Amino acid sequence: MAKKRPQTKASKAQVTNGEIPVVGAREPCPCGSGRRYKACHGRAAAHAVTELVQRPFEGLPGECDWVALRELVPAATVPLTLKDGLPEGVPSVTLATVLPMAWPALRRDDGSVLLALQNDSSSGDLARDLADTLQRALETEPGSPVTPRRVPAEGPRLQDLLDPKGDFAPVVHTGFEFWIPESADNSNPEVTASLERANAAAIPTVKLTGVDSSYWCETPDKNHLRWVMPHPEEKLLDALARLHAAGTSSLGENTRLVGSFRAHGLMVPVWDLPTTMSAEDCEKPAAEFAERLATALATDAPLTPEERRARGGLTNRQVTLS
């Protein structure tokens, strides 16, 4: 029989205060316990990193537009207001849907920061991932991109860094020319190629002005209206079912409520529109629909059999994006 190895007593932890640094899973834990990181402080870190936050943008101004820019809108920017003000040497911080070469963030030559929203998340909390990227971008040398990394298990979230009273007013662009300032040198071939690819793939999108967080988009076969709504899902489904059963869920002739997306804890109803219906044409019917929806949301009566069938159909046509 093989001899049993004598068990060695783990050395006493050397780090007693402060945050334990994140290291490789098989490396010794920085706390000094003598165990590998994955068997020591890495256990709690792994749980925190993988635990999914269902509504990462909850509590931020413009939560519905955060969801839209993350999942639906190709090219858009939003000026961000930091809770503690801008650091010295940083004239502005701007949220962007996407950046060249899928950079998480970019510190421009003038010190301004662009933070990309449509990037892979290394943890289950997108708000914490973005906050980590933002903090690193503020300290990055001007003229440099921020590279991806595994986010530590503990750290601030966007809600800790952004001013809760700040405006969130997306500007939707027809392309990604906002990547390159007018005064910048456009000779970088990688950025130029990335810009051309992004522009070719971008779906024309327009934000409606008369209702919140509603975006018209154009595709070859038909146009669509995708509307991110803040209401609780069950209550919103009931309200949409009431309107659908009553024949009042459309936005006019040849339009149809076809289903919804579920994204970051919110529902996004989607309408098919004829190719002749522009974003401007949607403004009045969308405002009228908002009034009908408000009335349906205020109704507490049980659903009728026809409304229950309509609700079942809408539920079956839901697609979860995140």
Side-chain angles (χ1 to χ4, degrees):
M1 296 178 60
K3 293 182 179 180
K4 292 183 178 179
R5 293 183 179 178
Q7 294 184 343
T8 57
K9 189 177 294 184
S11 60
K12 188 176 181 180
Q14 299 300 310
V15 179
T16 56
N17 294 305
E19 182 180 346
I20 304 299
V22 176
V23 298
R26 299 178 65 83
E27 295 180 32
C29 187
C31 76
S33 66
R35 292 178 291 174
R36 289 177 177 173
Y37 180 69
K38 69 177 182 179
C40 191
H41 281 85
R43 288 179 175 176
H47 175 73
V49 165
T50 57
E51 188 174 6
L52 180 64
V53 175
Q54 296 290 343
R55 288 178 63 179
F57 306 120
E58 186 175 15
L60 290 172
E63 179 187 6
C64 292
D65 285 310
W66 278 91
V67 173
L69 268 56
R70 166 72 181 183
E71 300 295 341
L72 307 174
V73 180
T77 55
V78 188
L80 296 180
T81 304
L82 303 188
K83 185 179 293 186
D84 297 327
L86 293 169
E88 184 177 356
V90 181
S92 64
V93 175
T94 302
L95 182 72
T97 47
V98 69
L99 292 176
M101 276 79 78
W103 289 330
L106 171 65
R107 182 91 183 270
R108 282 177 162 166
D109 291 335
D110 66 353
S112 61
V113 168
L114 288 178
L115 175 67
L117 183 56
Q118 295 180 14
N119 279 322
D120 291 337
S121 175
S122 67
S123 80
D125 186 354
L126 184 55
R128 186 156 52 83
D129 290 356
L130 288 166
D132 178 79
T133 301
L134 175 56
Q135 285 187 313
R136 290 192 291 135
L138 294 172
E139 299 173 354
T140 296
E141 287 295 322
S144 305
V146 176
T147 57
R149 77 167 185 176
R150 186 177 67 172
V151 177
E154 300 294 335
R157 308 177 73 236
L158 282 175
Q159 288 82 346
D160 302 315
L161 303 182
L162 301 184
D163 186 349
K165 297 181 181 179
D167 292 332
F168 193 82
V171 177
V172 178
H173 304 277
T174 57
F176 295 88
E177 283 72 20
F178 64 85
W179 285 353
I180 305 173
E182 293 182 3
S183 59
D185 178 9
N186 297 347
S187 61
N188 186 321
E190 290 185 329
V191 172
T192 300
S194 185
L195 176 63
E196 291 175 354
R197 289 193 300 270
N199 281 344
I203 296 174
T205 301
V206 176
K207 187 179 189 299
L208 299 195
T209 60
V211 293
D212 294 333
S213 311
S214 183
Y215 293 81
W216 171 95
C217 67
E218 179 183 13
T219 61
D221 297 328
K222 62 186 70 175
N223 298 341
H224 304 280
L225 187 71
R226 302 181 290 193
W227 193 339
V228 187
M229 296 187 173
H231 317 291
E233 181 174 327
E234 296 302 313
K235 192 170 184 63
L236 179 55
L237 278 171
D238 282 352
L240 292 174
R242 296 181 197 279
L243 297 179
H244 205 60
T248 58
S249 63
S250 74
L251 299 176
E253 187 177 0
N254 297 324
T255 70
R256 185 167 68 99
L257 175 64
V258 292
S260 62
F261 297 127
R262 183 189 289 113
H264 304 292
L266 299 180
M267 267 187 65
V268 188
V270 178
W271 285 262
D272 277 354
L273 312 173
T275 56
T276 55
M277 191 170 187
S278 66
E280 185 177 358
D281 295 333
C282 287
E283 292 284 1
K284 182 178 178 180
E288 293 171 346
F289 176 85
E291 294 179 0
R292 298 196 298 273
L293 180 63
T295 300
L297 285 166
T299 302
D300 293 325
L303 296 181
T304 65
E306 186 178 359
E307 290 168 346
R308 286 197 298 271
R309 286 192 294 272
R311 192 185 196 279
L314 291 171
T315 304
N316 290 336
R317 296 194 297 275
Q318 274 189 314
V319 176
T320 299
L321 299 180
S322 59

